[in-house]
Amino acid sequence: KADLSACLKLDAANKEAKAQLRGVLKDLEEEKKKYAGFLGKGGGLYGDREKERAQRDQEKKVAAATKKRQEEEKKRQAEVLAAEELKARRKRWEDICVERMVKHQHVQSYEEWDAEEQVREAAEAEAKKAAEKAKKEKEKKEKEAARRAKEAAEPEVVDDEELDASLVRGYKTTSDGRRTSYFNNELDEKSKALIGDITPQKI
């Protein structure tokens, strides 16, 4: 391209140089389009990476926005609940005030009544917590007592090897150290000699 451009500067009427330059420019434009399609946003390795990165960024933004909306909704619900509780609390105070006025009793301000209520509610919560703890401890002790009673009711299994032969009735120890029934008859050497060999013989 540079050579043809220089040639045309020297000879602007050179038709052959003009034709070749047009061909070179056309080829360059086609190459440019080809690589633009490969490397651009429409496709190719780099295009796919850019697309994936943009998608991840979009997903992060959506997730952040969703989280923010959820937090705002949670805060709004908490505020609504607090407002409803306050309204109900003031309604209860007003009812108590009416009852005291009818009985010609001292009527407390909302601040005084609310302070006493908070102390009472805290005491009730502590008492409830202590009662639940005592209940759990009682259930634990009852389970342990039931387990021990069950173990006591089950017969103890003692291994024969752990038994003292002198304390076991109905059993005796043979000359070779085996423990067997008291009624098992063990032959002495004299009796064995009289009986002889009693091994089965082939007929």
Side-chain angles (χ1 to χ4, degrees):
K1 178 183 177 182
D3 294 340
L4 292 172
S5 298
C7 181
L8 287 173
K9 285 182 180 180
L10 295 174
D11 185 6
N14 191 331
K15 295 182 179 181
E16 185 178 356
K18 288 181 179 181
Q20 291 183 5
L21 181 59
R22 283 196 296 270
V24 169
L25 291 175
K26 184 178 180 181
D27 292 341
L28 289 174
E29 186 66 24
E30 290 179 356
E31 288 292 326
K32 184 178 179 181
K33 290 180 180 180
K34 179 180 178 181
Y35 282 102
F38 180 74
L39 299 174
K41 293 183 179 180
L45 178 61
Y46 295 101
D48 291 342
R49 288 181 178 177
E50 287 295 327
K51 187 176 180 181
E52 290 175 0
R53 187 177 68 177
Q55 184 176 357
R56 287 196 300 269
D57 292 341
Q58 183 64 22
E59 289 174 354
K60 288 180 180 179
K61 290 180 180 179
V62 172
T66 302
K67 184 178 179 181
K68 184 178 180 180
R69 286 197 302 271
Q70 290 175 347
E71 291 176 351
E72 290 176 350
E73 179 63 19
K74 186 177 180 180
K75 183 180 179 181
R76 187 190 66 79
Q77 290 179 357
E79 291 175 351
V80 171
L81 181 61
E84 291 177 352
E85 290 179 351
L86 179 60
K87 184 178 179 180
R89 197 175 185 85
R90 282 189 170 275
K91 179 65 170 57
R92 193 162 72 251
W93 166 72
E94 291 173 356
D95 293 341
I96 292 174
C97 288
V98 172
E99 291 178 2
R100 289 188 174 184
M101 290 175 67
V102 171
K103 296 178 181 179
H104 303 286
Q105 296 177 348
H106 171 67
V107 177
Q108 293 176 306
S109 65
Y110 175 77
E111 289 73 16
E112 293 174 341
W113 175 83
D114 187 59
E116 290 184 359
E117 279 294 293
Q118 289 183 18
V119 173
R120 183 185 63 80
E121 290 169 356
E124 288 182 353
E126 190 67 25
K128 183 179 179 181
K129 184 178 179 180
E132 290 177 353
K133 183 179 180 181
K135 182 181 178 181
K136 289 181 179 180
E137 291 179 351
K138 182 180 178 182
E139 291 176 351
K140 184 178 179 181
K141 290 180 180 180
E142 289 177 350
K143 288 181 179 179
E144 181 64 19
R147 184 185 66 80
R148 291 180 178 179
K150 183 179 179 181
E151 290 179 353
E154 293 177 352
E156 184 179 2
V157 179
V158 180
D159 190 356
D160 290 344
E161 297 296 332
E162 299 176 357
L163 294 175
D164 185 352
S166 62
L167 300 177
V168 181
R169 296 182 179 179
Y171 291 87
K172 65 180 180 180
T173 303
T174 61
S175 58
D176 58 0
R178 294 182 298 105
R179 185 175 295 114
T180 183
S181 170
Y182 179 80
F183 299 98
N184 183 62
N185 185 22
E186 183 181 12
L187 300 176
D188 56 18
E189 295 299 328
K190 184 177 180 180
S191 299
K192 290 180 181 179
L194 290 173
I195 294 174
D197 186 5
I198 59 174
T199 303
Q201 301 294 326
K202 183 176 181 181
I203 300 175

